[in-house]
Amino acid sequence: MILHELVSYETLRLVWWVLLGVLLIGFAVTDGFDLGTGMLLPFAGKTDLERRVIINSIGPVWEGNQVWLILGGGAIFAAWPQLYAVSFSGFYLAMFVILVGLILRPVAFKFRSKRADPRWRARWDWALFFSGVVPALIFGVAVGNVLLGVPFRFTDDMHILYEGTFLGLLNPFALLCGLVSVAMLAMHGAAWLQLKTDGLVADRARRYGSVAAIATVVLYAAAGVVLWQAVDGYRITSAIVTEGPSNPLFKTAQVATGAWFANFDNHRWTWAAPVLGLVASLLALALMRARRGGLALLASGAAIAGIILGVGAAMFPFILPSSLDPRASLTVWDSSSSHLTLFIMLVVSSVFIPLIVAYTSWVYKVLWGKVDGAAIADQRGHAY
């Protein structure tokens, strides 16, 4: 027997769907507090020294955190090529804006302190604010559009045609999802600042983080109600073939009212994901109010995981539904790479992902503790 046949095609597809979720959660939880910290920079820091403390709380770790984004993009490219083709071409302008924000962040880090002019530094501070808010907003908008269905279809020769526009992505439900993303990452960034700073910066972070936690609960609940009452989901109407060829057109599907809640009705344990998103947000609020920054960071990370898992649980087995032709919708069972490709990638990932986790854990251990404002003021070390 060939080695890769020891694991069924169905199992490998399911494993890679789970791994994609893990990578997305890893990015949202790690780089999420970087984005949240950028959002809070002009508000939690009032003096130049306070803002330098905030910047230096994420300065040594932000690059490592973005590894999860690279891994996620690579996983989509290799494991779900049709998903990569549709999303990275259809959402091209949106992704370009995200990349502008992510690229602007290190530029701002490097150039902000090149001049002592307060106006110069203030401009870079707002650039960091932009680089935090805009990617967070657009990531959420993208999730909202995925839930609504993306305007793409296949031709008879399997050529992908995307018929949407950038402005079409900015619909009310998608913007609501974008606000959920902004609020939850602001909450996460505030918890990080409580852990890594003290004094007035930590106090302001606690106040803004409390507001963000309340906003996360309210907006997430509102998005759930809108999804239930006003957004139609998708369901497969033909026989589900879990080990068939990767051709979405071999199935039939349709838009159906309430379809995104079918998995929750059929498998009640899946309610644990959205409940975790709400309960952990409230717990993060309580812990921030109690000045328990470390535990608040864990709680806000759990809230992010719950919110993302809730979307995955609602949509399974759909990955990217098509609003133009429901039959063309991409699912776990009909849009993956080959059996052999998924197996080889799983072997490689089982080696490198633990190494990344171990290295990242070591870095955080070395950099543990609060940022020393006095050391930054004295210009010791290599502070930004």
Side-chain angles (χ1 to χ4, degrees):
M1 178 181 289
I2 301 175
L3 186 60
H4 73 274
E5 293 181 352
L6 294 173
V7 185
S8 71
Y9 201 7
E10 175 186 1
T11 300
L12 285 171
R13 282 169 161 169
L14 188 58
V15 166
W16 271 103
W17 176 78
V18 172
L19 281 177
L20 179 59
V22 169
L23 295 175
L24 292 176
I25 291 171
F27 169 68
V29 171
T30 56
D31 205 45
F33 65 72
D34 293 347
L35 298 176
T37 298
M39 297 181 208
L40 296 174
L41 176 64
F43 312 106
K46 298 300 183 181
T47 67
D48 181 66
L49 179 59
E50 288 175 348
R51 293 182 178 183
R52 290 185 65 195
V53 167
I54 293 171
I55 291 170
N56 280 276
S57 73
I58 59 172
V61 298
W62 71 269
E63 287 180 290
N65 293 339
Q66 290 200 160
V67 168
W68 295 100
L69 177 62
I70 298 170
L71 286 174
I76 293 173
F77 173 78
W80 311 101
Q82 292 172 331
L83 173 62
Y84 181 90
V86 175
S87 59
F88 278 68
S89 59
F91 295 162
Y92 182 82
L93 288 178
M95 292 192 176
F96 177 80
V97 175
I98 289 174
L99 288 176
V100 168
L102 295 180
I103 293 171
L104 188 59
R105 176 170 53 183
V107 174
F109 285 161
K110 296 297 183 183
F111 281 88
R112 181 187 184 278
S113 295
K114 295 298 184 181
R115 294 173 58 185
D117 183 359
R119 292 177 298 177
W120 167 270
R121 294 188 173 186
R123 293 189 191 102
W124 287 114
D125 291 340
W126 285 106
L128 287 168
F129 171 79
F130 173 90
S131 70
V133 169
V134 171
L137 178 67
I138 295 181
F139 280 130
V141 167
V143 172
N145 279 281
V146 169
L147 288 167
L148 290 170
V150 177
F152 74 93
R153 61 184 176 88
F154 289 98
T155 62
D156 292 337
D157 59 356
M158 295 301 294
H159 180 68
I160 299 171
L161 295 178
Y162 178 84
E163 299 183 8
T165 63
F166 175 73
L167 293 179
L169 299 175
L170 305 178
N171 55 78
F173 177 72
L175 289 172
L176 175 59
C177 293
L179 292 177
V180 173
S181 177
V182 169
M184 76 177 187
L185 296 187
M187 170 184 68
H188 200 42
W192 172 258
L193 287 178
Q194 273 204 301
L195 174 65
K196 295 294 291 182
T197 67
D198 51 21
L200 292 175
V201 172
D203 288 339
R204 295 190 194 105
R206 177 174 60 86
R207 292 197 298 271
Y208 287 114
S210 299
V211 173
I214 295 171
T216 300
V217 172
V218 173
L219 292 170
Y220 184 48
V225 171
V226 173
L227 186 67
W228 177 38
Q229 295 289 334
V231 177
D232 292 333
Y234 293 74
R235 68 182 179 189
I236 298 174
T237 54
S238 60
I240 297 177
V241 180
T242 59
E243 298 202 25
S246 290
N247 187 334
L249 300 182
F250 282 179
K251 69 175 182 304
T252 58
Q254 67 179 21
V255 177
T257 302
W260 286 150
F261 287 84
N263 286 336
F264 296 115
D265 293 336
N266 297 330
H267 307 283
R268 295 302 177 92
W269 58 270
T270 56
W271 279 106
V275 169
L276 175 63
L278 291 171
V279 172
S281 296
L282 292 172
L283 182 59
L285 169 63
L287 290 168
M288 279 191 281
R289 300 299 297 175
R291 293 179 169 82
R292 302 296 298 274
L295 293 175
L297 185 68
L298 293 176
S300 61
I304 292 171
I307 290 171
I308 294 175
L309 288 172
V311 175
M315 293 185 59
F316 184 84
F318 287 89
I319 300 178
L320 192 67
S322 170
S323 60
L324 295 181
D325 180 9
R327 184 182 60 145
S329 299
L330 307 181
T331 74
V332 173
W333 313 123
D334 60 22
S335 59
S336 71
S337 293
S338 68
H339 192 169
L340 178 60
T341 300
L342 294 182
F343 179 78
I344 293 173
M345 288 177 55
L346 182 61
V347 173
V348 173
S349 298
S350 66
V351 174
F352 284 100
I353 290 180
L355 288 176
I356 292 170
V357 172
Y359 170 75
T360 302
S361 301
W362 176 78
V363 169
Y364 279 98
K365 182 177 183 297
V366 170
L367 298 173
W368 191 255
K370 296 185 181 294
V371 177
D372 187 352
I376 293 175
D378 292 341
Q379 297 295 326
R380 298 199 303 268
H382 302 281
Y384 287 108

